Amino acid sequence: MSNIAGKAYAMNVITPIRWTTAWLNKLIFWIALKRPSTLRGLITLSLIHYARWVIIGKNQFPHLDSSQPKEKLHYSYMLFFSNFNGSWDQYVDSFTFAIPGGLDLFWKWNIRYPKSVALTPFHHYIRYNQIETIHYYNAYPLATSNDVKSAKAVKDALIQFQCQSADDESDDNFLQRYNALLRGLQHDLGAMHPTPIVSMSAYQVERRKRWHDGSLQKEIAAQQAAQGGQNHDR
Amino acid sequence: MTQKLDLLDIQGNIIRAYGRFGYPMARYVFFNIRHSARAREFVGTVTDRVTTAVEWGEGPGQIKQPDWTVNIAFAYQGLKQLELPRASLSGFSPEFISGMKDRRDILGDDGPSSPENWDPIWAENRKNRDKDVHIFIALNARLPALLEEGYAWLTGVAKQYRDAVAILNGHRGEHGALYDYQDVKAVMENGQPTAKEHFGYTDGIGDPVFEGAPNYDLNVRGRGKQLEDGSWAPLATGEFLLGHIDEAREYPPAPEPILLSRNGTYMVYRKLHENVATFDAYLDEQGRKYPGGKELLAAKFVGRWRDNGAPLVKAPDAESKQKFDAEFAAADQAGKDKLLSDFTFDDDMSGAKCPFSSHIRRINPRASLQMVKGSKPGSMIFNKDAFDTPGALSNRRRILRRGLPYGEVKDRSRDDGNHGIVIMMLNTDINRQFEFVQQEWINYGNDFQEGSDKEILLGNHNADNKFPSKAVLQVDPNSDQAPYMLSKIPRFIETRGGEYFFVPSLTALRMIAQGVVDPT
């Protein structure tokens, strides 16, 4: 298992909530969506890809087949699902440092929610209710959500720049436009390199060692070659 | 909520940056424990001479300022050898227990900074029990002769306990010679100690101010935490001292019993080599191309001008710098401190004055992370009230810094001389404070929306061409300039060793010495 893929972390937290108060939570979500200013802090935390809160009623869990035993649940549940860049600590701490009030509002009615400040009980609450990610795929392991947004901005600006180019453009005019292009992109030109280390699991440490001495790249290349061969046979 | 700290119980190096209090030189000595019970007696003997944080004075009933100071700290292995109970040991933080070497991946200590290349005392640490670094003792002095006096005292005590503790050799000095101690001292100019390091920057400005520290209310602006209404407040004591309430309104996690941890803290010791030739050459090369000239470029690396530390947000160009200098020259000590520290990035959200990759913006972004892209291309704007408090993302990442340079630059055209800085950083949570800043803000840039761009001066820039380092020096979005690109930034700083230590209170030291630490 790993909650991490490339620079992204997937977090699932599921917490019980009484059905008698679940509707209040739904109301709060509805208001938050209607008034975008309530989510301003969340949006300013640029390490977050997105965050989603869903209330699942006690009878709404999937029942796939009549042979599946029926569960008897006492509570409704709130599922929190988010993808972000950085470590678990950085994410949870950014939340509590920056928007403790918002967190408390969203989790207010959840059973035994300790409030987001002080930090240690909140850490324990999230850890205890977190469901580890069994499978997690990331198509762009080197990219953060900021990197993706920046790449799109650079692409759009470049296309626009090219469209505005003319064969008879003067050198001065070109330089001016080129400088304006760079200036407009000055917060979108960060490099995209391997991720800083957040995991100290034995598997990841060993993998990094192999990456550093070059053997991991060779293994991957060999693997790909073998797979390519297989496909070809078919 | 104001509280008075028990300064007699707190070690002096936590509260005072000795270099700024008339102690421009120091010697750091490290010990390996050979006999636990006798080593506890050794700790007791040293404790009697430990310098506390108490205010000095000449009056009756006051403690006179000492000629040399003594402070002591312990690595995890040392506390184990001193036979602290298991229940106390397991209460220390995981990164302190693991030690700095084990955290190399987190800290980015790779290539020339990797532990194989550290000074022998650090390379051998945690490899072989007889070479483990257990105890750290620091002597700071006013004059060279007084430092020798302090050292003679310490070696005398060590001799008395030679069955119990051994001084560890292996600090690299001139021409690769190995020493029993690490000497540090201020860089001298015309026979006077300065606040400069070997690249020529003024160091040691703007230490955080926290509640209860002496005179904390006098210089809180720019050094405490920034509030919505433009005022400043001291940071919570618990960010720097265990056993006190921190910014999350709780006691920071600490070992039990509370008497062991209260008024103590964690110390990060790091020996950083400075590649002066590489730095000079890169600055010269880029300085010739940079429109603002070489000195402004040097200032852009750090966010402060080299000569007097003038912050770029106050003096962004040569003209404003001249005005700043006149004001600075006329100011008294308190006025100078205010000029250097009392600023925000609120009027420089796009980084046109102080670049996002510069040293001071990376290690203490103040309120500037409360930012979003503006409608003008290339601009960032202050997203007022987005966070609970403007400095929400910075206030829990602050660190007390106690550094002095080591060695001397004899030949500026060579990197391999004996020159650098030994920095000691104090915080109550190594992982949340020091390691976070090192990993996310120095060696990475996503929080600043700069991708993998690193902090210019301290970043672990890649020597190979696989992932070359660069930085963008932003310009005013309303100007007609282009941002300047620093390309292929070489590694200016290399780690030469270090370890995590615990700095106990005087109460805890006495308990350790007597073997009475007891969490039951």
Side-chain angles (χ1 to χ4, degrees), chain B residues 31-256:
Chain B
F31 294 85
N32 178 266
I33 294 170
R34 302 285 159 86
H35 185 285
S36 298
R38 285 274 294 155
R40 289 196 291 272
E41 287 176 38
F42 168 75
V43 170
T45 304
V46 174
T47 299
D48 290 340
R49 186 63 183 72
V50 160
T51 309
T52 70
V54 79
E55 302 222 42
W56 298 315
E58 293 291 329
Q62 286 185 299
I63 291 177
K64 276 195 358 198
Q65 181 170 1
D67 285 334
W68 42 276
T69 63
V70 181
N71 291 102
I72 184 167
F74 305 92
Y76 177 75
Q77 314 285 62
L79 294 172
K80 219 166 134 183
Q81 291 303 324
L82 289 166
E83 298 178 322
L84 257 65
R86 178 67 68 179
S88 294
L89 288 171
S90 63
F92 285 97
S93 70
E95 56 282 356
F96 171 70
I97 292 172
S98 312
M100 186 179 286
K101 196 192 265 177
D102 192 57
R103 305 290 284 177
R104 57 183 290 182
D105 283 334
I106 301 278
L107 300 175
D109 284 334
D110 57 5
S113 294
S114 64
E116 306 87 85
N117 300 318
W118 290 2
D119 283 8
I121 181 170
W122 301 116
E124 296 296 319
N125 182 28
R126 299 215 189 207
K127 235 187 201 172
N128 172 341
R129 194 239 159 270
D130 288 345
K131 295 282 180 69
D132 278 352
V133 173
H134 291 148
I135 304 176
F136 159 87
I137 293 180
L139 305 165
N140 280 66
R142 305 219 260 203
L143 293 166
L146 298 172
L147 187 60
E148 292 304 333
E149 188 185 301
Y151 187 62
W153 165 80
L154 182 60
T155 46
V157 176
K159 210 164 176 187
Q160 201 187 321
Y161 290 94
R162 63 179 169 271
D163 56 322
V165 292
I167 292 178
L168 289 164
N169 183 273
H171 302 271
R172 262 190 227 124
E174 288 298 325
H175 309 295
L178 296 177
Y179 289 84
D180 279 348
Y181 47 78
Q182 176 66 57
D183 262 346
V184 291
K185 69 169 198 305
V187 170
M188 307 294 277
E189 259 171 31
N190 307 323
Q192 289 295 315
T194 68
K196 294 278 168 71
E197 50 67 64
H198 298 300
F199 293 150
Y201 292 100
T202 305
D203 201 9
I205 303 169
D207 224 23
V209 163
F210 62 93
E211 205 175 304
N215 303 323
Y216 70 86
D217 43 345
L218 298 180
N219 39 20
V220 69
R221 292 194 62 84
R223 292 170 59 179
K225 57 183 176 189
Q226 201 175 328
L227 304 179
E228 288 97 307
D229 60 358
S231 65
W232 291 78
L235 290 150
T237 314
E239 295 295 311
F240 308 105
L241 280 176
L242 297 167
H244 297 265
I245 299 289
D246 66 18
E247 284 288 325
R249 283 172 245 155
E250 65 179 342
Y251 292 102
E256 291 177 345

Side-chain angles (χ1 to χ4, degrees), chain B residues 218-480:
Chain B
L218 298 180
N219 39 20
V220 69
R221 292 194 62 84
R223 292 170 59 179
K225 57 183 176 189
Q226 201 175 328
L227 304 179
E228 288 97 307
D229 60 358
S231 65
W232 291 78
L235 290 150
T237 314
E239 295 295 311
F240 308 105
L241 280 176
L242 297 167
H244 297 265
I245 299 289
D246 66 18
E247 284 288 325
R249 283 172 245 155
E250 65 179 342
Y251 292 102
E256 291 177 345
I258 186 71
L259 281 179
L260 171 64
S261 50
R262 189 167 189 273
N263 287 335
T265 193
Y266 289 110
M267 179 182 90
V268 175
Y269 178 100
R270 258 167 107 72
K271 181 176 182 179
L272 303 173
H273 174 76
E274 297 185 82
N275 287 327
V276 290
T278 300
F279 176 83
D280 286 358
Y282 188 75
L283 181 60
D284 276 339
E285 177 207 324
Q286 296 289 331
R288 277 194 292 275
K289 290 186 267 181
Y290 182 66
K294 179 176 153 181
E295 260 327 294
L296 181 59
L297 183 63
K300 292 277 183 182
F301 289 3
V302 163
R304 293 182 183 279
W305 292 81
R306 284 203 290 184
D307 58 351
N308 57 11
L312 276 177
V313 288
K314 285 189 173 183
D317 50 33
E319 197 187 327
S320 51
K321 171 70 170 24
Q322 238 176 6
K323 243 174 85 186
F324 181 96
D325 287 352
E327 230 179 299
F328 190 71
D332 59 4
Q333 203 46 50
K336 281 189 166 67
D337 189 76
K338 194 172 152 57
L339 280 166
L340 292 176
S341 302
D342 183 6
F343 63 88
T344 70
F345 295 116
D346 298 2
D347 294 326
D348 185 34
M349 288 304 288
S350 301
K353 296 172 186 167
C354 185
F356 282 20
S357 291
S358 67
H359 178 67
I360 66 167
R361 194 148 183 157
R362 286 296 188 95
I363 60 159
N364 180 14
R366 299 175 187 232
S368 70
L369 293 180
Q370 192 177 255
M371 66 176 181
V372 284
K373 285 208 163 91
S375 51
K376 178 99 193 166
S379 71
M380 285 282 186
I381 54 171
F382 190 71
N383 198 9
K384 198 171 164 0
D385 298 332
F387 297 160
D388 193 38
T389 160
L393 296 187
S394 308
N395 297 340
R396 306 214 69 204
R397 314 289 187 193
R398 306 299 309 282
I399 299 158
L400 299 174
R401 288 162 298 140
R402 306 282 176 256
L404 274 174
Y406 70 85
E408 209 178 316
V409 181
K410 292 180 173 158
D411 181 354
R412 286 207 80 88
S413 69
R414 294 177 66 105
D415 278 337
D416 60 359
N418 176 46
H419 36 72
I421 187 163
V422 171
I423 183 148
M424 287 168 289
M425 291 165 280
L426 303 156
N427 51 207
T428 50
D429 190 330
I430 296 172
N431 179 43
R432 170 168 51 76
Q433 292 163 287
F434 164 69
E435 288 189 343
F436 179 89
V437 172
Q438 179 73 22
Q439 176 177 60
E440 294 293 323
W441 291 353
I442 290 177
N443 291 331
Y444 192 50
N446 191 47
D447 276 359
F448 298 81
Q449 305 197 19
E450 293 204 295
S452 297
D453 288 0
K454 303 168 194 283
E455 192 261 272
I456 298 168
L457 201 66
L458 300 184
N460 61 344
H461 304 298
N462 286 294
D464 58 20
N465 281 331
K466 200 161 156 197
F467 299 112
S469 268
K470 70 142 211 325
V472 180
L473 305 183
Q474 292 87 5
V475 292
D476 183 349
N478 296 311
S479 71
D480 57 359

